[in-house]
């Protein structure tokens, strides 16, 4: 039923209508990765300020928040005026991975090769259209990004002939002479090019998955790319309209031979995909004949029993071995790593559709992290305004019969990061949020006043709000009680939303931003007139920095209440959640200022543990927590630097751990 065993735990999600108690970002003591040193032997100045200290002192930071009803959100720009690096091939490029001889940059996520640029200019002069209008009309940019602040992939393609407007000879000529090859760029969030994949790859000399279908070479047409996306392990999947899937690592190497997601049969004819959903564990596809399949991308680190207990109808596609070579012209040596493989499970949706005379509209996957069976569950919306759920353990299909709760068929679905809510965009323009058990509907929001067309993207911003993007209309965020905010992005022909566990990233041609709910403790700290201990300590610290004589008395007043350690910890935790280095330093100064009084407080001294064997004073727990926060902030600021381009939040850092981050960096 899509429910999670952990649903009984306390949550801060407004959709749950519970309190704001959240311990997910509590300070955890432990080993921290070391900070690299510069040439002078000192640490890199990751706390170097970009504006005057306390420039906003006396002005509440809450003025910078965007309020979704009573819930504050922050809009932070990580990278501004981004120049997206483009490949510059050498004279003897690799068959698949473009090597870079020098750096060149593009001011847009859309990248058109010089050859295609000349074709567009020729068509522009013939058709009497501006070059920019021609690009917007006849080209499309596919985009995807890894979760946890990871790299992004983008490719610009000519639209398929069925989607292209106009019947002029020049337009048809552009379609016939469309790209013979394109570059799929893999970039950091700051625009640095990690690798460039020349697509399509050379045809393998033999592949049972590919050669079983006729006219296989015609499948390798870039304009036939259906969608691209990343798994949670940062594997790039490129899915063609006929169901063929390519799998790449971040270096641009094929890790699994190309395979068919839906096997062609005489009964249903050639495969043509209608919908596809790439999720953290792989992808699910739905064809125009109502056939569907689940593909799970795995490696040797996965539980062997999970693989062995897969459904009997599934098949396994082995990846290229660690030290082996792939076949044909695509030969290459692989570094030592655990080989990947794919498990493809065909789903009995076509027979279900025939028996019950239903058609499906869209498909979505609930990750195995949020299901009772610990295997993915497939959700398919039907044209009669219901949803069917497929249990991939036994391939049982259940109609949840939610027709009374939905005013129209669902044409787009998106799961919340916790897997407990499903965001749905209905055919009549209604945005609905419903529990994955379909027993509670928490939101109906009419979007027809915004746009009469379906949105380009429907994503979640953490667990607290839905983010909807319409072309040329910016981004609208909708809260659990029907409140909404609109974020405008003018002069951005490309805009893409990447959902994260506690926020969402927004990619445009010029910048990369983050939209995130302000933690309740941070909102209370910066609220004007707040009497919370961290807020009082911050005011005392600001007064001390400005030379006020009342600063010490204010700090001593907090000490007398016995809440000084709470105030210090609150300022430190708030610093860890901040992105702006100036705010981080201001909050850390406040915590450090409070520790001066904490050390002098009699109640803070433990006679048994205050000295070590050599008679030296041992650090208190609050001091150790402060040092831990400072170390984590240095790591986070280093990762967010443009040279690295990994904009993690503090919650994502806690979830990945230092070892997980290192594994992704190498």
């Amino acid at each position: 039923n899509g429910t999670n065993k952990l649903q009984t735990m306390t949550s801060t999600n407004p959709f749950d209508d519970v309190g704001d108690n959240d311990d997910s970002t509590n300070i955890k003591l432990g080993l921290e990765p070391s900070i690299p040193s510069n040439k002078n032997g000192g640490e890199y100045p990751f706390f170097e300020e970009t504006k005057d200290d306390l420039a906003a002192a006396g002005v509440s930071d809450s003025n910078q928040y965007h309020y979704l009803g009573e819930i504050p959100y922050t809009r932070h720009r990580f990278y501004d005026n981004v120049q997206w690096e483009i490949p510059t091939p050498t004279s003897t490029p690799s068959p698949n991975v473009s090597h870079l001889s020098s750096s060149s940059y593009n001011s847009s996520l859309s990248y058109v090769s010089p050859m295609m640029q000349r074709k567009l200019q020729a068509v522009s002069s013939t058709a009497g259209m501006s070059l920019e209008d021609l690009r917007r009309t006849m080209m499309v940019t596919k985009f995807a990004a890894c979760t946890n602040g990871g790299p992004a992939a983008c490719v610009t393609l000519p639209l398929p002939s069925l989607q292209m407007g106009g019947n002029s000879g020049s337009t048809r000529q552009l379609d016939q002479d469309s790209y013979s090859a394109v570059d799929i760029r893999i970039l950091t969030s700051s625009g640095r090019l990690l690798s460039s994949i020349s697509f399509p790859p050379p045809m393998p000399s033999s592949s049972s998955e590919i050669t079983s279908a006729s006219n296989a070479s015609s499948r390798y047409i870039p304009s036939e790319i259906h969608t691209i996306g990343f798994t949670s392990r940062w594997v790039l999947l490129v899915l063609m309209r006929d169901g063929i899937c390519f799998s790449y690592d971040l270096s641009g190497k094929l890790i699994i031979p190309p395979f068919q997601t839906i096997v062609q049969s005489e009964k249903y004819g050639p495969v043509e995909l209608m919908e596809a959903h790439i999720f953290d564990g792989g992808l699910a596809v739905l064809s125009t004949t109502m056939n569907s399949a689940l593909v799970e991308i795995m490696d040797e680190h996965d539980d062997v029993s999970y693989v062995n207990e897969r459904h009997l109808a599934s098949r396994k596609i082995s990846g290229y071995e660690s030290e082996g070579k792939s076949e044909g012209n695509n030969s290459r040596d692989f570094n030592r790593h655990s080989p990947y493989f794919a498990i493809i499970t065909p789903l009995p949706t076509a027979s279900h559709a025939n028996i019950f005379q239903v058609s499906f509209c869209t498909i979505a996957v609930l990750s195995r992290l949020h299901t009772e069976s610990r295997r993915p569950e497939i959700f398919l919306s039907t044209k009669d305004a219901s949803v069917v759920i497929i249990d991939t353990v036994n391939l049982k299909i259940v109609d949840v019969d939610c027709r009374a709760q939905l005013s129209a068929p669902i044409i787009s679905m998106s799961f919340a990061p916790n897997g407990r809510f499903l965001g749905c965009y209905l055919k009549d323009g209604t945005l609905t949020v419903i529990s994955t058990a379909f027993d509670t509907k928490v939101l109906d929001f009419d979007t027809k006043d915004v746009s009469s067309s379906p949105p380009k993207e429907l994503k979640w911003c953490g667990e607290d709000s839905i983010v909807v993007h319409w072309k040329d209309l910016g981004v609208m965020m909708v809260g659990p009680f029907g409140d909404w905010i609109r974020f405008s992005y003018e002069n951005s022909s490309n805009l893409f939303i990447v959902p994260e566990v506690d926020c969402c990233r927004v990619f445009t041609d010029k910048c990369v931003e983050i939209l995130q709910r302000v933690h309740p403790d941070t909102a209370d700290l910066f609220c004007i007139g707040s009497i919370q201990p961290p807020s009082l300590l911050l005011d005392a610290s600001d007064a001390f920095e400005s030379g006020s004589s009342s600063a010490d008395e204010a700090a001593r007043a907090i000490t007398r209440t016995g809440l000084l350690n709470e105030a210090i910890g609150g300022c430190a935790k708030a610093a860890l959640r901040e992105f702006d280095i100036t705010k981080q330093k201001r909050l850390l100064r406040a915590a450090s200022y409070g520790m001066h009084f904490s050390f002098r407080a009699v109640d803070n001294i433990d006679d048994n543990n205050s000295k070590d064997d050599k008679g030296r004073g041992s650090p208190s727990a609050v001091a150790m927590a402060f040092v831990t926060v400072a170390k984590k902030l240095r790591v986070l600021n280093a990762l967010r630097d443009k040279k690295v381009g990994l904009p993690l939040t503090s919650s994502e850092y806690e979830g990945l751990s230092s070892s997980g981050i290192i594994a992704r960096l190498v």
Side-chain angles (χ1 to χ4, degrees), residues 101-131:
S101 59
S102 61
S103 296
S104 54
Y105 300 90
N106 192 31
S107 60
S108 171
L109 283 168
S110 300
Y111 167 63
V112 179
S113 66
M115 179 186 69
M116 193 61 191
Q117 182 79 8
R118 291 191 291 270
K119 290 183 179 180
L120 286 172
Q121 290 174 347
V123 174
S124 174
S125 59
T126 303
M129 300 174 62
S130 68
L131 192 60

Side-chain angles (χ1 to χ4, degrees), residues 581-598:
I581 293 179
T582 300
K583 288 185 179 181
Q584 293 175 3
K585 295 185 71 173
R586 179 188 174 196
L587 290 163
L588 289 179
R589 270 195 297 266
S592 177
Y593 179 69
M595 283 194 294
H596 287 289
F597 296 90
S598 176

Side-chain angles (χ1 to χ4, degrees), residues 356-416:
F356 294 95
Q357 295 297 303
V358 297
S359 297
F360 302 117
C361 301
T362 187
I363 189 170
V365 183
L366 181 61
S367 170
R368 60 175 174 165
L369 299 176
H370 307 302
T371 63
E372 292 183 354
S373 66
R374 289 300 179 254
R375 288 185 179 270
E377 292 183 353
I378 313 300
F379 285 58
L380 294 112
S381 66
T382 63
K383 289 189 176 180
D384 60 350
S386 187
V387 174
V388 298
I389 302 177
I390 306 176
D391 186 346
T392 56
V393 176
N394 51 27
L395 301 189
K396 182 180 179 181
I397 301 179
V398 177
D399 189 335
V400 298
D401 193 11
C402 55
R403 295 168 181 83
Q405 296 171 291
L406 302 177
S407 58
I410 301 172
I411 60 175
S412 181
M413 293 188 288
S414 178
F415 287 102

Side-chain angles (χ1 to χ4, degrees), residues 35 96 111 125 134 140 144 148-149 158 200 259 268 278 281 336 348 395 397 447 493 527 531 550 575 609 612:
I35 303 298
N96 280 90
Y111 167 63
S125 59
L134 195 63
V140 62
N148 296 314
F259 57 86
Y268 294 104
I278 297 178
R336 289 181 176 272
L395 301 189
I397 301 179
T447 66
S493 57
C527 181
I531 58 173
S550 62
N609 299 315
D612 60 14

Side-chain angles (χ1 to χ4, degrees), residues 30 46 104 184 222 229 245 259 318 399 405 409 446 474 524:
F46 293 124
S104 54
I184 302 176
C245 182
F259 57 86
S318 298
D399 189 335
Q405 296 171 291
D446 190 358
D524 289 341

Side-chain angles (χ1 to χ4, degrees), residues 129-140:
M129 300 174 62
S130 68
L131 192 60
E132 182 62 27
D133 290 341
L134 195 63
R135 285 180 180 175
R136 292 170 62 90
T137 304
M138 306 177 68
M139 313 289 290
V140 62

Side-chain angles (χ1 to χ4, degrees), residues 420-486:
R420 298 163 67 177
F421 296 99
L422 178 65
C424 309
Y425 187 87
L426 309 186
K427 191 174 182 179
D428 63 358
T430 302
L431 175 63
T432 296
V433 176
I434 194 169
S435 65
T436 51
F438 290 90
D439 54 3
T440 305
K441 183 167 68 171
V442 296
L443 176 67
D444 267 338
F445 184 85
D446 190 358
T447 66
K448 290 191 290 292
D449 291 338
V450 181
S451 176
S452 58
S453 60
K456 287 189 63 178
E457 294 179 290
L458 175 68
K459 308 290 185 181
W460 284 78
C461 181
E463 301 172 358
D464 309 301
S465 59
I466 294 276
V467 178
V468 191
H469 165 222
W470 284 274
K471 185 176 181 180
D472 300 328
L473 293 178
V475 171
M476 184 176 70
M477 178 184 292
V478 183
F481 309 112
D483 303 303
W484 60 274
I485 311 173
R486 182 184 174 190

